[in-house]
Structure formats: C-alpha cells, structure tokens
Amino acid sequence: MARNPRIAFIGAGSTVFMKNIVGDVLQRPALSGATIALMDINPQRLEESAIVVNKLIATLGVKAKAETYSDQRKALSGADFVVVAFQIGGYEPCTVTDFEVPKKYGLRQTIADTLGVGGIMRGLRTVPHLWKICEDMLAVCPEAIMLQYVNPMAINTWAIAEKYPKIKQVGLCHSVQGTAMELAHDLDLPYEEIRYRSAGINHMAFYLKFEHRQPDGTYRDLYPDLVRAYREGRAPKPGWNPRCPNKVRYEMLTRLGYFVTESSEHFAEYTPYFIKDGRPDLIEKYGIPLDEYPKRCIEQIERWKGQAEAYRSADRIEVEQSREYASSIMNSVWTGEPSVIYGNVRNNGCITSLPFDCAAEVPCLVDASGIQPTYIGELPPQLTALIRTNINVQELTVRALMSENREHIYHAAMMDPHTAAELDLDQIWSLVDDLLAAHGDWLPAWARGRRKSAAA
C-alpha cells in the first residue's frame, strides 16, 4: 500500500493562510490522506488551527489526519514537505518598531517587510530561525522540500542557500499570478486567455511577455493596451483595497516598458522616486499608502477575533482553491505530474545579468525530480539596473548574517534606494543604532544594542 505524504507546517498559528494551503492540499486526490503536522509556539493559535484542519478533513470527507506539536524537531520528523509561515516579533512589538523609529528621522514606509530599514531588520530577526529549521530538517527529514512563505523572501532564500546549500527549498509568493489576474481585469480579459513570462527577484520581477490568445491561436502583445488604458484613465481599476490605487506600477511601466509583479504600495518603497519628505504632491498624485502594513495588521487582528469564533462554532468549513503554489508543487513531486510555478531559488545563472548567488524569481518546472528552475538569460538593461539596487541591500544583509559583522547592517541601510534618498550618512547610522537597540532580544546577540561611537 502506497504511503501518504507527511506535511509539516511550521508557524501553523497563521491560521487563515494555513487553512488555504491545507484546503488546497486536501482537494488533491494523491495528497488527501496526508498527515498534517502543525507546529506553533502559541498554544491558543495552534489549537485554533487544529480545529480548522480537522473540520476541513470532515467537510471534505478525506482520510487525512492532523497532529499538533510545540516541539519543532518532532513536528519535522519524517516530513516530505515543510511549509514555513511565521513572523518573528509579530505586529507588536517588532512591526511597530520598524515603522515608528524611522518616522523620527522623517523616513516613511508603506509595507517595510522586504527592503529598506524595515526589511533589513525583519531579515535579521527571521533568518536565524529559518536556519534552525534547516538544522532540524537535516537531522530528521533531510530529503524534504521547504516551501518558504516568509518575508523578506529574497534575503531568506539567499541566506538559506548560503549556509545550508543541501536544503531543498523554494520561496513562494503569489504576486506573479495575482498581478496577472489584476492586469487581465484592468483590460476586461479572461485570465485564462492570458500568457505571460516573468523573471527577476521576489517583489521586483517583471513580465517579459504579457500576451492575449487570439481566436486563431496566435498571441497579441498587451503592453500597448496597458499603457493606453493608463494614459486614458481606464486603468488601474479599483481593487480590493481603496487605500492602494496601484498607480505607481503603471507609471513605472511607462518609464521602463515592463510591468512589475508586486504591488504599487511595495514598489513605492523599493525605489527613490515616490516617497519624499516635503513632497505631499507625490503621495497624493500616486496614491501612496503610507503606514499601510500596520493598518492591515490592526484590521487583521480585529477580523480574526470574529473569524476564530466562527471557525470554532462551525460544523463545516467550506473550501475554495487558493492561488498559492504549495499544493501544486507537492502534487507534482508526489505523483510526477508536471506543473510550472514561479519560485525563488538560488540564481545559479538562470538570469545571466544578475549575480550568480542571489535569490532569483523564475519559472520552475516541478515533477518527481523536484523543483527545476528554467533559464532566462539576460534581462533588459534598465530592469537589471533597477533590480541590482535591491540586490545590493539583500547581499549586504546576508553578509552581515553570515559573518556576524554589524558593519554590514549599516552598509545595507546605506545602499537602500529609499533610505539613501531621504537621509544623510549620520542619520542612517543613528537610525540603524536606534533600531538595533529597540529590537533587542528579537535580534541575534551579535547585532543587538548600539555601537560605542559613530566611528567605532
């Protein structure tokens, strides 16, 4: 009798996200008998997640089973797949710190989870915990594939590849397929008729092709339509969040010739052009949602109070397919049925115009042999140049973590496009000192506290 897969979920207290992934998994016949090993450090959230999974199993009538763990290594033991989704330090205190301390210097952010001083600090907090998962995986499930959904995605993926190259890993994000759906909606076209190819780094990949299938089977380039729709005021259409009108990406399309895969609120803080002290006209013109992530956190926390109780009292939990790649990857590896996903992996020459060792986001073939990145070649030079500005920050943050050298934290902040456009060198050094001191024990010991002097 063929065995069923074991899927470990580290950070299972992210209940809504976990529900989507597990719901997808249990609707795959080859995976429907899986053992779902849920692990979290928060007993209440772990209990709530177990309730949700057991009700999903009952609703779907499948033979899967759920197990709960507070011990990470025990949860990982014998796993075939490891899904990772957590936020070190949570909304309070760490996200609040990442926003409020820079504000004292006049440095405003929107999301602060990927790049900038917020992304650097999040990477310093997060990577050591991912490394601990890697250590445990090598001990108890060395052949398992890590499906990593944690930000800052590029920093995390790069750091894992540097320290634990034997770990089979992929960083996963829904921005590529999500944005493609948005653009199809903006043009009033069925998403199923869209063909695209994207490449770059996480949150700064670009559609190298974005096309619509014609009745005769040929494909038509949609970029002229997108530019025309933007200039005529027909795009972007209102989205799920009225605070985020998505104008930044369309504006950058007219300057670069290509559309970026992550949202305008993200992209505004990856570049030096949109958020500037003393320029409220830019904020208004492009609809920049400052402090957007803290607002979402507060809304999510409030929404969860009612959602948790609804899940607890519900007899059934209805399941819809999400747009996440996790179940597709597991199904392809487990059955050999091929699929194509967009994954974050060590570049290894897939994109020849980017560093060999950086974390690249490229199309990947998935089958029984695992996750196999595809060759892209050289990106258009303007895209390569812009992406490199973000890679500089990622590389120096990874160097700081690998060498335990605090100096590289300052260097990373110094190279950040948005930070460098707003602050002088003394301000950057002082801000990093303040952030390292404020985060304290959430950081590795070598990174904590302040330097003795600015020249030390």
Side-chain angles (χ1 to χ4, degrees), residues 178-188 207 210 226 250 259:
T179 291
M181 293 175 186
E182 289 180 41
L183 295 181
H185 174 68
D186 283 351
L187 294 177
D188 295 315
Y207 295 105
F210 197 79
L226 289 169
Y250 270 96
F259 204 93

Side-chain angles (χ1 to χ4, degrees), residues 136-424:
D136 288 345
M137 286 177 65
L138 289 175
V140 298
C141 58
E143 297 302 314
I145 296 175
M146 178 192 283
L147 284 64
Q148 195 250 122
Y149 278 97
V150 184
N151 281 319
M153 178 69 66
I155 289 172
N156 295 342
T157 303
W158 193 334
I160 290 170
E162 283 292 305
K163 189 159 186 174
Y164 293 98
K166 291 184 179 180
I167 290 291
K168 300 173 183 176
Q169 61 144 339
V170 62
L172 297 172
C173 179
H174 52 239
S175 62
V176 174
Q177 64 271 42
T179 291
M181 293 175 186
E182 289 180 41
L183 295 181
H185 174 68
D186 283 351
L187 294 177
D188 295 315
L189 294 172
Y191 173 68
E192 296 74 21
E193 296 177 7
I194 300 297
R195 180 175 76 173
Y196 57 83
R197 185 168 175 80
S198 169
I201 59 173
N202 182 239
H203 286 189
M204 198 182 274
F206 292 85
Y207 295 105
L208 305 178
K209 290 183 179 180
F210 197 79
E211 301 170 325
H212 179 223
R213 187 174 70 248
Q214 302 301 292
D216 64 359
T218 62
Y219 283 84
R220 183 171 66 85
D221 179 16
L222 288 175
Y223 269 133
D225 298 51
L226 289 169
V227 172
R228 189 180 309 112
Y230 176 57
R231 288 178 170 158
E232 294 176 357
R234 294 181 287 108
K237 291 183 177 178
W240 67 275
N241 187 342
R243 293 190 299 262
C244 305
N246 205 23
K247 293 180 181 178
V248 167
R249 292 194 289 176
Y250 270 96
E251 184 63 25
M252 289 297 282
L253 165 63
T254 68
R255 313 293 178 141
L256 297 171
Y258 297 87
F259 204 93
V260 74
T261 55
E262 188 45 83
S263 67
S264 286
E265 54 269 29
H266 278 275
F267 202 49
E269 64 182 8
Y270 303 159
T271 60
Y273 314 119
F274 298 99
I275 306 173
K276 291 183 177 293
D277 189 33
R279 293 294 307 275
D281 58 309
L282 292 174
I283 302 301
E284 181 177 359
K285 179 179 181 179
Y286 295 109
I288 311 295
L290 296 173
D291 300 324
E292 174 62 21
Y293 188 61
K295 292 173 186 174
R296 291 184 192 179
C297 289
I298 292 168
E299 291 167 355
Q300 288 168 356
I301 291 167
E302 187 60 33
R303 190 161 55 243
W304 175 247
K305 295 176 183 177
Q307 188 66 67
E309 184 54 39
Y311 283 149
R312 191 180 290 274
S313 59
D315 293 327
R316 296 168 53 86
I317 296 180
E318 297 304 323
V319 188
E320 295 181 3
Q321 283 285 344
S322 81
R323 62 189 189 192
E324 305 294 348
Y325 287 129
S327 72
S328 177
I329 293 170
M330 295 180 200
N331 185 69
S332 290
V333 171
W334 201 251
T335 66
E337 178 185 342
S339 63
V340 175
I341 61 104
Y342 278 85
N344 292 270
V345 295
R346 192 173 193 266
N347 186 22
N348 288 347
C350 290
I351 301 176
T352 54
S353 53
L354 298 183
F356 194 83
D357 56 351
C358 78
E361 187 170 81
V362 296
C364 301
L365 170 67
V366 191
D367 59 19
S369 296
I371 297 164
Q372 302 155 77
T374 61
Y375 176 81
I376 297 294
E378 187 171 332
L379 297 177
Q382 70 274 29
L383 303 186
T384 295
L386 189 60
I387 290 169
R388 279 176 175 164
T389 66
N390 282 218
I391 287 177
N392 290 338
V393 181
Q394 297 161 6
E395 179 175 21
L396 285 162
T397 306
V398 173
R399 291 289 179 90
L401 286 155
M402 290 293 294
S403 63
E404 299 187 359
N405 181 350
R406 279 175 57 111
E407 293 300 302
H408 289 324
I409 303 173
Y410 301 88
H411 298 154
M414 177 181 168
M415 297 300 167
D416 176 62
H418 174 44
T419 304
E422 292 286 274
L423 306 183
D424 65 33

Side-chain angles (χ1 to χ4, degrees), residues 439-451:
H439 281 304
D441 290 346
W442 291 106
L443 298 172
W446 59 267
R448 297 173 195 161
R450 301 177 185 276
R451 302 195 323 164

